[in-house]
Amino acid sequence: MLSFATVFLASIVGSSLGAAVNNTGLVDTLRDAATAVDRVNDLPKDSQFVFDFFNPTAGVSTGAGGSVILANVASFPAVVGNGAAMAVGILEPCGMNTPHTHPRATEIQFNVNGTIRTGMITENGGRFIMTDLQPGQMTIFPQGSIHFQINEGCEPALFVSGLNSEDPGALQIAQRFLGLPPDIVAATLGDIGIEEVMGLNDLIPDSVALGTDECLQRCGITRTSQPTTQQQTRVSGNAFPSGVTASTYATGYQSAPTTSSKSH
Ligand SMILES: *[C@@H]1O[C@H](CO)[C@@H](O)[C@H](O)[C@H]1NC(C)=O
Ligand SMILES: *[C@@H]1O[C@H](CO)[C@@H](O)[C@H](O)[C@H]1NC(C)=O
């Protein structure tokens, strides 16, 4: 199936990101403007008020399971001073926007098509909330909540999200948590070994990632090797100790898993 999303993602990869627009100077100008009128007049072209999610020149995060495209202060400077941003998720079959938070925004998510499962925990003590959004339905992720979205279907699915910050930010839970000092992570997890921490870190796929075994099996999709470019950068404070070798884990993509209990 040459799906919409396949064509779409190919067009992103094949086109524009290498030539991503640098809006830094324009954003500085807009932020320095004395009034909102000045800001409007600092954007002389009508096209500066259009962001094309299906042909973006910036703001794209891609993994093996799809993409999230974000129109924010960097990719769409017309939002400067307006406190709003918008994201579109293109989730391939079983594609999962991995658990994350937005440090500066509440998100309201509208499901365009497909069935998109969402899950959320708002804070310590808050119960887990899960939805299976049908086309035309929406949900809300309060600022700071941990949430995820997964396409439960075997066709691509689309969602649209409004965010009440022009710079909502995103914090991917697995990448950031495993990016803390390895002895801190090991102790937090009940004293697993540093080798295990290193091994787990090495596995974390970029978002949008391939989702659950159940979905992949139902849709007849083989789990493939996924890019891992979103892991936390190591500096001296969170460095892996020298002379320690990461544990290796079964990654599940050499052969289709047959049970829900994997070796890790
Ligand atoms: C973007 O442009 C600004 C100056 O307007 C410059 O300081 C910055 O380094 C540029 N960033 C990139 C990634 O080229
Ligand atoms: C959702 O819309 C996209 C774009 O038109 C299309 O490729 C995809 O197949 C649709 N998914 C479903 C489940 O209808």
Side-chain angles (χ1 to χ4, degrees), residues 44-110:
K45 291 185 275 184
D46 291 354
S47 61
Q48 291 175 300
F49 289 82
V50 176
F51 184 89
D52 187 351
F53 284 101
F54 288 170
N55 191 22
T57 55
V60 182
S61 303
T62 298
S67 290
V68 174
I69 303 103
L70 176 64
N72 70 352
V73 65
S75 60
F76 184 51
V79 298
V80 170
N82 292 294
M86 182 166 276
V88 167
I90 315 253
L91 306 182
E92 294 284 0
C94 306
M96 178 174 64
N97 193 15
T98 59
H100 61 280
T101 71
H102 299 293
R104 291 173 294 280
T106 290
E107 173 175 357
I108 48 175
Q109 180 196 327
F110 174 83

Side-chain angles (χ1 to χ4, degrees), residues 68 70 87 91 95-110 116-123 127-131 133 139-150 159-164 168-175 207-208:
V68 174
L70 176 64
L91 306 182
M96 178 174 64
N97 193 15
T98 59
H100 61 280
T101 71
H102 299 293
R104 291 173 294 280
T106 290
E107 173 175 357
I108 48 175
Q109 180 196 327
F110 174 83
I116 297 179
R117 172 166 290 180
T118 73
M120 161 175 82
I121 295 175
T122 56
E123 60 187 289
R127 76 173 182 88
F128 175 65
I129 295 165
M130 193 167 81
T131 77
L133 293 181
T139 190
I140 180 167
F141 305 121
Q143 181 172 350
S145 63
I146 297 178
H147 56 274
F148 64 85
Q149 295 108 334
I150 177 169
F159 70 81
V160 176
S161 288
L163 299 130
N164 66 341
L171 186 158
Q172 232 64 30
I173 300 298
Q175 280 91 340
S207 190
V208 174

Side-chain angles (χ1 to χ4, degrees), residues 90-225:
I90 315 253
L91 306 182
E92 294 284 0
C94 306
M96 178 174 64
N97 193 15
T98 59
H100 61 280
T101 71
H102 299 293
R104 291 173 294 280
T106 290
E107 173 175 357
I108 48 175
Q109 180 196 327
F110 174 83
N111 188 12
V112 176
N113 70 5
T115 299
I116 297 179
R117 172 166 290 180
T118 73
M120 161 175 82
I121 295 175
T122 56
E123 60 187 289
N124 292 348
R127 76 173 182 88
F128 175 65
I129 295 165
M130 193 167 81
T131 77
D132 283 313
L133 293 181
Q134 302 304 315
Q137 297 183 333
M138 68 164 271
T139 190
I140 180 167
F141 305 121
Q143 181 172 350
S145 63
I146 297 178
H147 56 274
F148 64 85
Q149 295 108 334
I150 177 169
N151 175 7
E152 285 289 295
C154 305
E155 279 186 71
L158 298 182
F159 70 81
V160 176
S161 288
L163 299 130
N164 66 341
S165 166
E166 61 204 47
D167 181 18
L171 186 158
Q172 232 64 30
I173 300 298
Q175 280 91 340
R176 301 296 80 77
F177 174 63
L178 269 294
L180 295 170
D183 54 347
I184 298 292
V185 175
T188 303
L189 294 177
D191 200 23
I192 68 170
I194 305 280
E195 301 85 349
E196 279 70 28
V197 170
M198 294 166 69
L200 288 175
N201 180 80
D202 288 348
L203 288 181
I204 304 171
D206 290 352
S207 190
V208 174
L210 298 174
T212 62
D213 290 345
E214 183 281 322
C215 186
L216 293 172
Q217 286 175 27
R218 181 163 40 79
C219 296
I221 298 167
T222 304
R223 195 182 290 276
T224 54
S225 178

